[in-house]
Amino acid sequence: MVAQVLSPAPRRVFAVDRYARDVLTPGWQKANRPSAVKTPVERDMVLEEPTSGFVGAVVGWENGVVVLEDRKGKRRSFPFGPNFWLDGRPVDLAAPARPAPTARDRSQQYNRTHTASGSRVGPAEKAKVALPSRIYVEGRHDAELVEKVWGADLRHVGVVVEFLGGIDDLPAIVAEFAPTKGRRLGVLVDHLVPGTKEWRIVEQVSGEHVFVTGHEYIDIWAAIKPARVGLTRWPDIPRGTDWKKGTLAALGWPHADQTDVAQGWKRILGQVSGWKDLDPTLLTEVEKLIDFVTDDHIDRES
């Protein structure tokens, strides 16, 4: 038997093209390097700046610069960017993302651009001489609430607000004021409901140069949204009980005398920051009064 000699399998030759990569192709230097991941800076993050070899923990950052402190307490500052290593990986260091504005932030911004009544704030003006026209409100608390919400607007147009001692004094005040063209009188009355004493007095004094309006609430306190003092609605106070003292009692606040009433009102007024804290009906009526006394002034200036 003749032994068969097998020829070895042909060798496969792999050609290496040393010139396959174009050294002028952009990015060829970074082809096999890990890419830097965009990473927001955080306090106490330990970073290495490879160019200098400095390693330290983040102790602060500002205006595009991060401050690192090494274990010996030495500090160095470096600009943000893809020039750091974190846990053995390159990172593109960036400032932390700004948090979305909160409701409080938006409210503060609004308060810088608008008055408490919702009017847009204009440029600073010189003090104005008060108009001859006036707005009267029924009590001190009414005047304080109007001042807090509409004070800036009223000073802008030069309108002064005064308060009545009570609705019974209105006819005498109107007679003494002597309203006429260029000297109008606007009046805000509490509990202005058809058929009431207040309604009958208003009918006596209303005229071309006198505009009296009001709200249906027994007291100006109730024109403030009850939620501002933790109530779902203002309480029903029995007839014969002082409404303010009864309300303070329902709130669980001191209510024995006028000092308690004054302190209670101070707490309630402190919860009012602007027009959003008031019943819309009051907003409408006060705006009517301001328009009434200022429209007459505009007529005289034209």
Side-chain angles (χ1 to χ4, degrees):
M1 181 176 182
V2 178
Q4 184 177 0
V5 178
L6 299 178
S7 300
R11 295 179 62 189
R12 300 179 65 182
V13 178
F14 296 91
V16 177
D17 186 354
R18 291 178 295 171
Y19 305 101
R21 179 175 295 165
D22 185 353
V23 295
L24 300 181
T25 301
W28 69 270
Q29 303 95 329
K30 302 179 181 180
N32 295 318
R33 296 182 184 179
S35 58
V37 179
K38 198 79 170 182
T39 304
V41 67
E42 295 179 5
R43 186 170 291 275
D44 297 327
M45 176 186 285
V46 178
L47 299 171
E48 177 186 356
E49 202 285 317
T51 301
S52 62
F54 190 86
V55 177
V58 174
V59 293
W61 60 87
E62 186 178 8
N63 299 326
V65 173
V66 62
V67 181
L68 304 182
E69 181 180 285
D70 67 12
R71 60 183 180 178
K72 296 181 180 179
K74 182 179 180 181
R75 294 189 176 189
R76 292 278 301 273
S77 298
F78 302 96
F80 286 156
N83 49 335
F84 297 93
W85 286 74
L86 172 66
D87 296 331
R89 304 288 296 179
V91 293
D92 183 357
L93 197 66
R98 292 185 178 182
T102 64
R104 180 181 178 85
D105 295 333
R106 291 190 292 269
S107 177
Q108 291 177 340
Q109 176 62 31
Y110 180 87
N111 291 339
R112 286 192 289 268
T113 58
H114 293 74
T115 67
S117 70
S119 301
R120 184 170 290 278
V121 175
E125 299 178 319
K126 294 182 179 179
K128 291 186 176 181
V129 176
L131 297 182
S133 300
R134 290 287 187 273
I135 292 177
Y136 273 76
V137 295
E138 194 169 345
R140 184 180 300 275
H141 294 176
D142 304 62
E144 291 174 348
L145 181 62
V146 169
E147 163 60 28
K148 185 161 189 179
V149 178
W150 288 276
D153 304 66
L154 292 166
R155 284 185 286 277
H156 172 72
V157 295
V159 174
V160 174
V161 175
E162 300 184 28
F163 63 91
L164 308 170
I167 188 65
D168 294 333
D169 299 330
L170 184 57
I173 288 175
V174 173
E176 182 180 356
F177 189 83
T180 185
K181 184 173 176 59
R183 183 179 168 82
R184 287 185 170 186
L185 183 63
V187 184
L188 181 70
V189 177
D190 294 341
H191 198 229
L192 188 57
V193 178
T196 60
K197 176 187 72 172
E198 291 83 0
W199 188 269
R200 291 190 292 271
I201 292 175
V202 167
E203 287 183 324
Q204 295 175 27
V205 301
S206 296
E208 181 182 1
H209 305 297
V210 179
F211 173 57
V212 184
T213 186
H215 53 79
E216 63 181 10
Y217 300 112
I218 295 175
D219 192 274
I220 194 67
W221 291 18
I224 298 171
K225 292 180 178 178
R228 297 300 177 266
V229 292
L231 299 175
T232 55
R233 59 190 296 273
W234 289 101
D236 294 323
I237 306 303
R239 185 179 295 273
T241 301
D242 182 272
W243 190 89
K244 291 176 180 176
K245 291 181 180 179
T247 298
L248 293 176
L251 286 166
W253 298 355
H255 57 280
D257 51 30
Q258 287 304 118
T259 299
D260 290 336
V261 171
Q263 290 299 317
W265 168 243
K266 185 176 180 180
R267 289 178 64 179
I268 294 171
L269 185 62
Q271 300 304 311
V272 176
S273 60
W275 63 273
K276 295 180 181 180
D277 300 317
L278 305 180
D279 185 278
T281 58
L282 179 66
L283 304 175
T284 300
E285 301 312 315
V286 173
E287 296 292 343
K288 285 180 182 177
L289 288 172
I290 296 174
D291 289 344
F292 177 77
V293 296
T294 55
D295 282 349
D296 186 69
H297 175 66
I298 293 172
D299 291 341
R300 292 186 290 109
E301 292 295 329
S302 60

